[in-house]
Amino acid sequence: MTTSNNHTVEKIGGTSMSDYPAVRDNIMLNKLLKNPYQRVFVVSAYGGLTNLLLEHKKTAEPGIYGRFALAEEDQSWIEAFGLVKDKMLSINSELFGDDSALKEKADKFILRRLTDAERVLSDLSSLCQHGHFEIADHLLKVREMLASIGEAHSAFNLTHLLQKEGINAVFVDLTGWDIDKAVDMDELIKEKFWSLDLSKCLPIATGYCHSEKGLMATFDRGYSEMTFSRIAVLTKAKEAVIHKEYHLSSADPKLVGLDKVVPIGLTNYDVADQLANLGMEAIHPRAAKGLRQSEIPLRVKNTFEPEHKGTLITSTYISDKPKVEIIAGREKVYAFELFDQDMMGQVDAFDRKTLDLIHELKMQMVSKDVTANSITHYLSCNLKKAKRLQTLLEKHFPEAEVNVRKVCIVSAIGSDMQEAGMLARAVAAIAEQGISIQALHQSMRQVDIQFVLDEKHFESAVVALHKHLVESENAFAGVTLDAPTAV
């Protein structure tokens, strides 16, 4: 690969990808850039398409994969292919409507992928009618194959739209669709990029990357961030950039108010990890690990404000003085308290078994409390899994008392919060609202303070903490809260 290692690797999410003018402006900065190169773009599927290919991310309504996985004699997954085809062709019509030749080319490309995939699923379904073969043994590969179609569609389209703008865009297909044997992910990335001169072309890479071990077993719907991270590391990018539909701000503007939040501007990977633990990922922690180890900074930008510098995340940044940078939280958390008078001295034995059950049910742990005779795990899960875990805990620990309650976690986070009195101020902000604190956590790393509260207090706690710990500090420092600040 011909590069001075002066390039950036940039990821565009599905919601942003659905707005081509905004994406174009990010790439060309309103055509002010004379040289749009020394950049690599990694793209997700258009918003909503992966839901149709797999299942809905929030409601779990089955798409092609969901229907196929549940199918026995049912052939409804074939109907789901029709829905996906109609949606993809509709997107093509919207993007290429005034260019029939280009639209025909885009339609032909994606229809070939869909036809191949439908044939594979049909053959697999027929094969698994025989007793020696089980569909369950092949579902992960099916899931990966279907997911890759969405990214191939968006990357192919964006490449040709940019070529129409006069940019030497290059489609980099990492899906492994036409390779004849499984290869390592890093090997495939190196193979696809080694001949590219980044000073003269603009690679548009698929967010899904084929891997011999499979990406989705570990990252599931977060696979595009791992692809993005590995491309940045392997090509030795000077900076990694994620374009989102919002700024990484001091709180959720929907809760606190757009006029009261500010872009964070600068922070570190510790803060990014804390946000991910609360379900507000700037980037998946495993994807961030590679960037961090390679000392590649990560910038989070707002797609719709391309000239704003956004927030820069580095491994070394520490705020000039101790402060809270962001108020974040998580709703729909279940607290599982396991109490046993005989636990004293053997907490580990109780904890190990509980963690095994949590892992078995694929539940995410947000935090944990331990006392002499009790362990409380705070888990993000749905009601069905919560009831299942409660039943299993009562079965494995018949002498123990198992209490389950629904809570929320609200956290004050910063790169350096080691200041006498900060915890007291945070507690006072919560107390002023008449909110009872059910649990409180602060680690020696001094990057966050977590409050466990009754779920009904989530919004009021976020607003109160932001007012006392962020807005008051910014007002004192002379930061204007009614407009984003440049960094």
Side-chain angles (χ1 to χ4, degrees):
M1 181 177 65
T2 306
T3 175
S4 59
N5 300 125
N6 194 35
H7 67 282
T8 58
V9 174
E10 311 187 28
K11 178 183 177 295
I12 302 180
T15 303
S16 300
M17 278 299 296
S18 297
D19 189 336
Y20 171 66
V23 173
R24 179 195 59 213
D25 287 349
N26 273 273
I27 292 173
M28 304 176 69
L29 285 182
N30 291 314
K31 299 187 178 181
L32 294 177
L33 284 181
K34 293 181 179 179
N35 182 3
Y37 305 121
Q38 294 292 12
R39 305 167 83 185
V40 174
F41 279 86
V42 181
V43 301
S44 297
Y46 296 110
L49 266 178
T50 307
N51 290 340
L52 295 177
L53 287 162
L54 303 179
E55 68 283 315
H56 198 285
K57 198 170 185 177
K58 294 182 178 179
T59 67
E61 181 182 353
I64 297 174
Y65 171 81
R67 297 190 192 189
F68 183 80
L70 297 173
E72 290 181 3
E73 299 300 324
D74 182 14
Q75 297 292 297
S76 66
W77 59 269
I78 297 176
E79 298 172 12
F81 261 104
L83 294 174
V84 170
K85 181 177 74 172
D86 291 344
K87 178 66 175 177
M88 287 182 161
L89 294 182
S90 174
I91 291 171
N92 288 359
S93 292
E94 185 176 339
L95 291 172
F96 304 112
D98 62 341
D99 190 328
S100 58
L102 200 49
K103 178 184 178 300
E104 183 179 350
K105 185 176 182 179
D107 288 350
K108 185 177 180 181
F109 171 81
I110 199 58
L111 286 173
R112 185 167 60 246
R113 294 276 169 121
L114 289 170
T115 300
D116 287 351
E118 186 172 355
R119 185 178 64 250
V120 168
L121 264 60
S122 181
D123 291 345
L124 181 58
S125 180
S126 297
L127 181 67
C128 291
Q129 299 302 314
H130 300 278
H132 295 288
F133 301 93
E134 294 287 341
I135 282 183
D137 295 335
H138 306 279
L139 285 180
L140 186 56
K141 292 293 185 184
V142 169
R143 188 172 181 81
E144 301 238 352
M145 177 188 69
L146 291 171
S148 75
I149 297 173
E151 273 78 18
H153 178 226
S154 59
F156 183 90
N157 285 357
L158 181 57
T159 299
H160 288 83
L161 286 166
L162 291 173
Q163 288 175 354
K164 191 176 178 181
E165 302 271 0
I167 294 176
N168 183 26
V170 177
F171 175 46
V172 181
D173 187 358
L174 297 172
T175 65
W177 197 266
D178 295 322
I179 63 176
D180 55 8
K181 65 176 182 178
V183 297
D184 177 74
M185 177 183 183
D186 285 3
E187 179 185 338
L188 181 59
I189 290 173
K190 290 176 182 177
E191 177 188 326
K192 292 290 186 177
F193 277 90
W194 78 270
S195 63
L196 299 180
D197 183 347
L198 299 187
S199 67
K200 297 179 180 178
C201 71
L202 184 71
I204 307 296
T206 56
Y208 173 86
C209 182
H210 168 80
S211 169
E212 188 172 10
K213 297 178 182 177
L215 280 184
M216 300 194 77
T218 303
F219 300 98
D220 199 45
R221 298 282 284 268
Y223 56 83
S224 62
E225 291 186 357
M226 194 60 193
T227 302
F228 157 74
S229 173
R230 293 311 299 163
I231 292 174
V233 170
L234 293 171
T235 63
K236 300 180 180 178
K238 70 172 182 179
E239 188 173 283
V241 183
I242 291 183
H243 299 268
K244 293 182 175 289
E245 58 271 21
Y246 48 81
H247 281 295
L248 189 58
S249 300
S250 54
D252 184 347
K254 294 177 182 177
L255 296 180
V256 175
L258 187 61
D259 60 327
K260 294 182 173 64
V261 301
V262 291
I264 295 174
L266 288 168
T267 192
N268 64 26
Y269 281 111
D270 270 350
V271 170
D273 287 347
Q274 299 307 315
L275 290 174
N277 189 50
L278 293 170
M280 299 176 61
E281 290 185 4
I283 186 172
H284 193 289
R286 290 281 295 277
K289 182 179 178 181
L291 299 177
R292 191 173 194 168
Q293 289 177 334
S294 299
E295 297 185 354
I296 298 173
L298 171 68
R299 191 179 297 275
V300 180
K301 297 190 65 175
N302 184 331
T303 303
F304 305 103
E305 292 185 37
E307 296 178 15
H308 193 293
K309 293 183 179 179
T311 294
L312 188 66
I313 302 171
T314 71
S315 57
T316 57
Y317 173 79
I318 299 293
S319 56
D320 294 335
K321 65 175 185 176
K323 67 175 183 178
V324 173
E325 297 170 7
I326 183 169
I327 305 298
R330 189 158 198 159
E331 298 181 271
K332 299 179 182 178
V333 174
Y334 286 89
F336 290 81
E337 182 188 64
L338 186 66
F339 170 82
D340 193 317
Q341 195 66 50
D342 295 329
M343 192 181 294
M344 178 70 178
Q346 51 178 334
V347 172
D348 285 351
F350 284 79
D351 196 27
R352 278 196 299 271
K353 184 58 187 178
T354 303
L355 291 173
D356 286 344
L357 295 173
I358 291 171
H359 179 72
E360 180 184 319
L361 292 173
K362 297 181 179 180
M363 303 164 80
Q364 181 187 346
M365 185 163 68
V366 181
S367 192
K368 178 169 69 173
D369 287 334
V370 179
T371 68
N373 52 20
S374 71
I375 307 173
T376 304
H377 294 87
Y378 301 95
L379 307 176
S380 176
C381 62
N382 57 35
L383 178 60
K384 181 179 179 180
K385 285 191 175 182
K387 289 181 176 180
R388 177 60 177 159
L389 179 59
Q390 182 176 6
T391 299
L392 291 172
L393 288 172
E394 290 170 345
K395 175 182 177 182
H396 285 283
F397 304 108
E399 302 299 320
E401 181 180 323
V402 180
N403 297 308
V404 182
R405 70 184 73 176
K406 201 171 183 182
V407 299
C408 68
I409 292 180
V410 179
S411 185
I413 305 170
S415 56
D416 177 13
M417 293 171 51
Q418 194 163 351
E419 178 184 64
M422 185 174 290
L423 176 59
R425 287 163 53 209
V427 171
I430 297 291
E432 279 185 14
Q433 301 300 310
I435 299 172
S436 175
I437 299 171
Q438 298 185 16
L440 175 63
H441 309 132
Q442 183 177 36
S443 69
M444 292 180 68
R445 201 166 179 85
Q446 299 289 332
V447 293
D448 79 327
I449 302 170
Q450 288 187 353
F451 294 93
V452 179
L453 312 168
D454 187 277
E455 61 174 336
K456 67 184 178 184
H457 296 308
F458 179 77
E459 183 172 343
S460 57
V462 170
V463 172
L465 286 172
H466 190 269
K467 178 180 178 181
H468 286 268
L469 302 179
V470 178
E471 293 171 46
S472 59
E473 288 295 313
N474 284 337
F476 178 77
V479 175
T480 303
L481 289 171
D482 60 358
T485 54
V487 297

